[in-house]
Structures are given as structure tokens and as C-alpha cells.
Amino acid sequence: MDGRYRRKSAYRHVLRHTFISRLVMAGVDLRTVQELAGHKDIKMTIRYAHLAPEHKLNAVQMLSSFRAKQTS
């Protein structure tokens, strides 16, 4: 491999990583990200899930809101 091929390959990787990372950070669900990224296995997509930890908090808050509606 020559240097030009390596740079081109690295550039593609960075663009792909940025695309997937931004989808996750924007709150796109992981199944959709998986499809857009072309990942065959969800495990590959889950590697990016750490980029949006606030989604866990949002999920818990949604459950709390749901429960509050059920009891009122």
C-alpha cells in the first residue's frame, strides 16, 4: 500500500465514523443508525452508543412520565 491509499482509506474511515457518531448524538435510534451505516451486526453499532449517555436518562424520565399519567 502506498501512502496515498492509506490517507484515502483513513479519510473515508473518519467520515464514516463522524457520520455514525453524529447520528447517535442527535438521538437517532440505534436500529436506524445500524441500517444507515450498513452494519450487519447491531454489536458494531452499539460501540457508538456511549456517545449519547443522556438517552439513558431520557428513557428513565419517559418511564416516570408514563407512570405519572397512569396514576393520575
Side-chain angles (χ1 to χ4, degrees):
M1 280 194 260
D2 68 7
R4 203 170 53 204
Y5 174 79
R6 287 184 187 158
R7 282 191 300 277
K8 199 177 219 181
S9 180
Y11 181 71
R12 280 191 221 127
H13 172 78
V14 168
L15 284 178
R16 180 176 170 78
H17 179 79
T18 301
F19 171 71
I20 297 167
S21 298
R22 289 187 178 175
L23 286 173
V24 171
M25 289 186 287
V28 177
D29 66 281
L30 292 179
R31 179 71 176 120
T32 301
V33 174
Q34 177 190 10
E35 291 177 12
L36 291 171
H39 293 155
K40 293 179 183 177
D41 192 337
I42 192 72
K43 290 177 190 172
M44 179 61 76
T45 311
I46 289 173
R47 291 181 179 186
Y48 293 88
H50 72 279
L51 296 171
E54 68 277 359
H55 293 299
K56 291 178 186 177
L57 177 59
N58 291 340
V60 172
Q61 289 173 339
M62 289 174 71
L63 185 58
S64 295
S65 297
F66 175 77
R67 188 161 191 260
K69 288 177 187 176
Q70 297 296 318
T71 58
S72 58

